[in-house]
Amino acid sequence: MTKRVLTTESGAPVADNQNSATAGVGGPVLLQDQHLLEKLARFNRERIPERVVHARGSGAYGYFEVTDDVTGFTRADFLSAVGKRTETFIRFSTVADSLGGADAVRDPRGFALKFYTDEGNYDLVGNNTPVFFIKDPIKFPDFIHSQKRDPFTGRQEPDNVWDFWAHAPEATHQVTWLMGDRGIPASYRHMNGYGSHTYQWTNAAGEAFFVKYHFKTNQGVRSLSSEQAAELAGQDNSSHQTDLLQAIERGTNPSWTLYVQVMPAAEAADYRFNPFDLTKVWPHSDYPLQRVGRLVLDRNPDNVFAEVEQAAFSPNNFVPGIGPSPDKMLQGRLFAYADAHRYRLGVNHTQLPVNAPRTAVVDNYGRDGLHATRNGARHDKNYEPNSYAGPAQTDAALSAPLAIHGWTGTHAAPAHTKDDDFFQAGELYRLMSEDEKGRLVANIAGGLSQVTRDDVIEKNLAHFHAADADYGKRVEEAVRALRED
């Protein structure tokens, strides 16, 4: 077997990888030691900046297999035939904490899925909850600032968390999810995933439908109490990463069944509440779940830093037959996600192996820039249109057009007949068992009682009273009892 030779980045052989070059035995280190300087410089730069949100994550490769015919709703090629398989990469994550945070914490979980389809990569970027805290992207930076570490104290402050929620009544539904029993998943394998947003599907005839994605875990939903989570986080800071890694390594491949809710586009305008409001779900009695296929995870990444941390998901990566809806939060994310990756990873982040298409051919006029690997041949042109047989447009839209009307300007979300910030939060509360209600109330009171301003507490209590009279009464009594201790 030929012995491998250690080299510098330029390919020159390394004579000594154990001792730095010095001015004499025991003397100062020499600036001319190219291998030393290159090694230290690379080490300084081998970790990219962490994500502002969803910093702490785990990932795995797998496949998606179609089990049911959905060609009546979409012409997406990867969904075109029962039995068709598409390679995937998924990244699970917490939202608020930094890369050094614990996995077992009360926080929404990211559920970001990349399909390496024959027509290009399709990214579905969702969470483990079907709703979110806000409905307009202009509030997103403020929301995240309120949930992350305070710039003065350097820790998450209950005053900040609850003050923002006090001024965002639409958050009551998601707060009820977060503080309930599903607020801390036992593992990434034991939680559902949701596209959360409303998306558009278009079939071969050009008919448009609005859809919501539901990935139901086949391992069963399991969650942790606050006490169990605190103990687990103390035992293994990377508990969910450990669980996912070991499950796949031993061949216990986790899987999810994908269902969709399908709304004919014509029904959206007159639906009883705004179907594009991210703080609301569509009741299954109105739009039942329809099975599509299954997601299976069967391979761990070889390098967490190169794959999981450099994986870039963007909800504007659509394929023919799938497109956006007027969901304002989705519309904001269409820009924000890709821009975040351009900042963290560079303008050519789509050329990194984990982000590059597997079977689809990339052919465009994007060249140069940091870390570019596709710069074309000497006679290739970098403009379009041209007379040199360069790639040209197809004139076939990926999805159906969205109808618009009215005046430009800043507008509140359109009000439908049954739009309300509190009704669905109350419905969720009323679905809970008595034990679940008790834990929900205790979780909310534990945080809200730490708030120092009475007016902020009162505003939040008003939201719970508006959702359900019993809900509000029990939270108010629990907060009062904790503050009197």
Side-chain angles (χ1 to χ4, degrees):
M1 181 173 159
T2 304
K3 184 178 180 180
R4 295 171 61 185
V5 174
L6 178 65
T7 73
T8 65
E9 296 288 340
S10 61
V14 173
D16 191 339
N17 193 43
Q18 311 305 316
N19 303 287
S20 302
T22 59
V25 178
V29 173
L30 296 175
L31 189 61
Q32 70 184 41
D33 190 340
Q34 185 259 356
H35 178 53
L36 170 67
L37 299 186
E38 182 178 84
K39 195 173 180 182
L40 292 178
R42 168 170 280 280
F43 178 75
N44 288 343
R45 293 162 175 80
E46 70 182 17
R47 298 293 176 261
I48 58 177
E50 68 177 46
R51 291 165 168 86
V52 176
V53 289
H54 295 275
R56 183 173 183 82
S58 302
Y61 291 96
Y63 62 87
F64 179 79
E65 180 178 14
V66 178
T67 58
D68 295 77
D69 183 9
V70 291
T71 56
F73 304 121
T74 178
R75 61 186 175 93
D77 179 72
F78 78 100
L79 299 174
S80 62
V82 172
K84 183 160 188 173
R85 286 189 177 186
T86 300
E87 186 182 358
T88 61
F89 181 80
I90 194 168
R91 187 177 186 272
F92 305 106
S93 56
T94 55
V95 176
D97 213 341
S98 63
L99 191 57
D103 286 344
V105 293
R106 188 172 297 279
D107 198 17
R109 299 302 192 276
F111 193 98
L113 185 59
K114 187 181 296 291
F115 299 83
Y116 300 103
T117 87
D118 295 338
E119 298 179 299
N121 289 351
Y122 171 47
D123 290 351
L124 181 60
V125 186
N127 286 319
N128 71 324
T129 61
V131 293
F132 196 60
F133 298 93
I134 55 176
K135 63 181 73 174
D136 194 303
I138 204 166
K139 300 171 73 170
F140 186 74
D142 300 296
F143 164 64
I144 294 299
H145 287 163
S146 74
Q147 307 298 300
K148 290 183 76 71
R149 300 186 182 197
D150 182 89
F152 171 64
T153 65
R155 69 186 190 104
Q156 190 182 56
E157 291 292 344
D159 277 358
N160 299 350
V161 170
W162 290 95
D163 185 39
F164 182 89
W165 288 343
H167 292 86
E170 72 267 30
T172 309
H173 192 186
Q174 174 71 319
V175 170
T176 305
W177 268 88
L178 178 63
M179 297 299 174
D181 279 0
R182 295 195 182 189
I184 314 178
S187 78
Y188 290 131
R189 297 181 297 125
H190 294 93
M191 69 181 194
N192 293 336
Y194 302 89
S196 301
H197 296 288
T198 301
Y199 293 90
Q200 185 203 72
W201 276 6
T202 310
N203 65 18
E207 297 174 301
F209 303 87
F210 291 118
V211 300
K212 283 185 175 290
Y213 295 88
H214 301 249
F215 288 85
K216 299 290 188 177
T217 175
N218 294 325
Q219 291 70 239
V221 172
R222 286 178 49 202
S223 303
L224 302 173
S225 67
S226 297
E227 296 75 19
Q228 291 171 324
E231 181 178 356
L232 181 59
Q235 293 172 346
D236 181 1
N237 196 49
S238 302
S239 57
H240 290 33
Q241 162 69 16
T242 301
D243 176 85
L244 182 65
L245 175 77
Q246 293 180 349
I248 295 175
E249 286 297 292
R250 67 175 178 263
T252 309
N253 297 333
S255 65
W256 288 257
T257 300
L258 171 61
Y259 300 86
V260 292
Q261 291 177 283
V262 182
M263 174 190 289
E267 297 181 12
D270 297 323
Y271 192 50
R272 65 181 185 273
F273 59 83
N274 180 4
F276 310 117
D277 182 347
L278 185 55
T279 67
K280 294 182 174 65
V281 298
W282 298 354
H284 293 181
S285 57
D286 291 348
Y287 298 101
L289 295 179
Q290 302 189 47
R291 194 175 66 176
V292 180
R294 65 183 185 126
L295 169 69
V296 179
L297 305 183
D298 59 5
R299 180 166 66 89
N300 283 309
D302 293 325
N303 187 318
V304 169
F305 307 109
E307 296 165 272
V308 179
E309 294 315 309
Q310 291 193 131
F313 302 85
S314 179
N316 63 5
N317 287 338
F318 292 114
V319 292
I322 304 178
S325 78
D327 179 341
K328 292 176 78 172
M329 280 296 292
L330 172 60
Q331 293 285 324
R333 295 174 85 197
L334 297 182
F335 163 76
Y337 271 60
D339 190 58
H341 303 318
R342 285 188 285 266
Y343 159 69
R344 291 183 64 243
L345 301 170
V347 71
N348 292 303
H349 65 273
T350 55
Q351 298 175 28
L352 293 168
V354 69
N355 299 321
R358 294 293 193 263
T359 56
V361 175
V362 177
D363 195 2
N364 58 40
Y365 298 92
R367 295 188 186 178
D368 308 323
L370 190 65
H371 302 152
T373 61
R374 285 196 321 267
N375 284 318
R378 65 169 65 180
H379 298 302
D380 289 341
K381 302 304 176 186
N382 62 349
Y383 60 88
E384 199 276 335
N386 62 58
S387 304
Y388 296 85
Q393 65 194 45
T394 65
D395 292 323
L398 297 186
S399 57
L402 299 173
I404 59 172
H405 60 86
W407 300 93
T408 61
T410 55
H411 304 287
H416 292 226
T417 55
K418 298 292 185 180
D419 267 329
D420 177 279
D421 286 331
F422 308 109
F423 177 77
Q424 290 199 353
E427 288 281 273
L428 179 58
Y429 175 80
R430 289 184 286 274
L431 284 173
M432 295 179 180
S433 68
E434 191 59 30
D435 286 346
E436 289 175 320
K437 289 177 181 177
R439 290 189 292 270
L440 168 69
V441 169
N443 291 333
I444 292 174
L448 189 54
S449 63
Q450 298 178 54
V451 174
T452 59
R453 289 183 50 168
D454 291 343
D455 61 321
V456 171
I457 293 176
E458 291 302 320
K459 284 177 180 172
N460 279 286
L461 291 176
H463 297 167
F464 302 122
H465 279 291
D468 182 274
D470 179 67
Y471 189 8
K473 177 175 179 288
R474 291 172 67 165
V475 172
E476 183 172 0
E477 290 175 348
V479 169
R480 183 185 305 117
L482 288 172
R483 298 189 83 201
E484 289 174 350
D485 283 349

